């Protein structure tokens, strides 16, 4: 059973930076055809894709709302991913979830940031005050 654990959520002021991390444990086998990503859900809103990364090539994909401000990266050896968030805005306030997908549909889900990944973490809260 694969378990995803996020860390790094905090309360910060607008304009500040924050880095989230996620580790996937219990996964066995090649991850070259898997996608990991970050999604978020604000109060009263649907879950949305923030950034994803293809494990094989490291290709990143970003939501328009975070392009130029957020950077997703992965650890080459271990199944870690990170989300560096710069110039945070109050509208970035949400629960941030890490997700993993290794299904045959994982590439499409990866570049479309579809919140339909197979495995999810429990989330970490980010609050940005004005």
């Amino acid at each position: 059973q694969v378990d995803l654990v996020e860390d790094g959520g905090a309360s910060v002021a607008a304009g500040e930076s924050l880095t989230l991390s996620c580790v996937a444990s219990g996964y066995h086998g090649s991850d070259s055809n898997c996608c990991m990503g970050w999604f978020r859900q604000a109060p009263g809103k649907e879950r949305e894709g923030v950034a994803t990364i293809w494990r094989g090539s490291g290709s990143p994909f970003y939501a328009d709302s975070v392009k130029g401000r957020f950077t997703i990266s992965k650890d080459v050896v271990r199944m870690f991913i990170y989300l560096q968030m710069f110039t945070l805005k109050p509208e970035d306030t949400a629960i941030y979830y890490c997700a993993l997908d290794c299904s045959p549909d994982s590439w499409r889900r990866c570049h479309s940031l579809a919140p339909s990944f197979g495995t999810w973490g429990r989330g970490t809260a980010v609050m940005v005050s004005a």
Side-chain angles (χ1 to χ4, degrees), residues 69-125:
R69 298 191 299 123
F70 290 10
T71 300
I72 189 171
S73 59
K74 69 179 182 74
D75 185 283
V76 175
V77 177
R78 301 169 298 173
M79 291 195 76
F80 270 85
I81 59 168
Y82 305 91
L83 185 68
Q84 294 175 286
M85 304 185 291
F86 302 99
T87 319
L88 282 161
K89 304 176 181 179
E91 50 263 45
D92 294 318
T93 295
I95 304 296
Y96 283 71
Y97 297 91
C98 175
L100 166 71
D101 195 276
C102 301
S103 71
D105 201 33
S106 59
W107 173 249
R108 183 192 66 79
R109 293 173 181 177
C110 205
H111 68 74
S112 67
L113 281 75
S116 55
F117 280 38
T119 304
W120 293 84
R122 295 170 184 78
T124 186

